[in-house]
Amino acid sequence: MGNDRRVVRVLLDRRGHTYAEEASIRLSDRPGPLYQLLVLATLLSTRIRACVAVDAARELFAAGYRTPQAMEAASWQQRVDALGRGHYRRYDERTATMLGTGARLCLDRWHGDLRRLHREAQGDPAGLRRRLTEFPGIGPTGADIYLREAQTVWSDLRPYADRRALAGAKRLGLPGSPDGLAGLVDEPDFGRLASALVRVALGEESAGEVTRVAAR
């Protein structure tokens, strides 16, 4: 347990920020940030590097598309252009369409407030995943991304570790269950740990380097 805690401490020191933070989303339990996280999860769901998806999200937000109202009001070409500025070019046209359709769904179904989705599902992860996958571009992977990040503000989700987070834990020799990992950090830090583990799984962080530093 002591060695596992050292590994986690090193990992958080090196990669202790969520993807939402990297995309300049000040995540809180409010409609704007929760919608911005949905946009980020949509971008991260495609077969593209996470850093490109994050850059594209920042460009969309810089253009003012931080709410479903603003995203839908933007023209398709404006959304394509913002994605292009983030170098999100391989899927830009299809994604621009999905973002517009998803914004309309968010407004029609949830009145622009994803807290309603959370309340309707009563914090049940399976219910949340099912509702999230109704959005275009959000499949099981995208729903996992959303919930993994949202647990920093939706405490009833913790500890939430998806397949990729658990794969990262395996590479580091850490416990292979959410509950086992939860015992290594303070509860509010679990979302940061889950994101850091994903970075290990995706090769953004070296498992070998983390364990070497932890062993010093």
Side-chain angles (χ1 to χ4, degrees):
M1 177 69 78
N3 183 63
D4 287 350
R5 288 184 183 277
R6 286 194 296 275
V7 169
V8 166
R9 187 164 58 247
V10 170
L11 179 62
L12 290 178
D13 285 344
R14 293 167 66 95
R15 292 285 185 169
H17 55 279
T18 65
Y19 285 98
E21 289 171 333
E22 191 174 342
S24 300
I25 300 172
R26 295 185 177 182
L27 196 57
S28 63
D29 194 24
R30 294 185 294 114
L34 292 173
Y35 172 71
Q36 292 159 29
L37 180 59
L38 182 70
V39 171
L40 177 62
T42 303
L43 299 176
L44 285 168
S45 295
T46 57
R47 294 179 180 275
I48 203 162
R49 288 182 300 161
C51 62
V52 174
V54 167
D55 286 346
R58 295 179 71 170
E59 288 293 340
L60 286 164
F61 303 148
Y65 314 145
R66 301 184 186 91
T67 66
Q69 293 90 342
M71 186 68 78
E72 188 191 36
S75 71
W76 176 84
Q77 188 61 56
Q78 286 174 321
R79 294 193 292 268
V80 168
D81 290 345
L83 291 168
R85 289 193 296 273
H87 305 288
Y88 198 92
R89 296 195 174 94
R90 184 177 177 187
Y91 303 99
D92 54 353
E93 295 186 356
R94 175 171 172 265
T95 301
T97 299
M98 291 191 301
L99 289 172
T101 305
R104 184 70 258 168
L105 176 61
C106 186
L107 291 167
D108 287 345
R109 178 77 187 275
W110 307 110
H111 303 283
D113 187 351
L114 293 176
R115 293 176 300 183
R116 292 172 179 262
L117 181 150
H118 185 212
R119 287 195 296 268
E120 184 178 291
Q122 298 181 327
D124 171 52
L128 285 164
R129 291 175 89 250
R130 186 170 62 253
R131 289 164 175 82
L132 286 166
T133 55
E134 294 176 6
F135 286 96
I138 299 286
T141 296
D144 279 338
I145 292 168
Y146 192 94
L147 298 180
R148 190 180 70 224
E149 298 274 318
Q151 70 181 315
T152 61
V153 294
W154 289 348
S155 60
D156 53 358
L157 287 177
R158 295 197 291 261
Y160 192 92
D162 62 349
R163 174 179 53 84
R164 281 182 175 169
L166 294 178
K170 182 177 181 180
R171 288 191 182 187
L172 290 166
L174 296 174
S177 70
D179 287 338
L181 292 168
L184 302 176
V185 291
D186 294 334
E187 184 191 354
D189 289 332
F190 192 84
R192 293 172 55 234
L193 173 61
S195 289
L197 291 171
V198 168
R199 296 176 193 279
V200 173
L202 295 177
E204 296 176 18
E205 178 57 74
S206 165
E209 182 63 19
V210 170
T211 54
R212 280 194 294 273
V213 172
R216 290 175 184 168

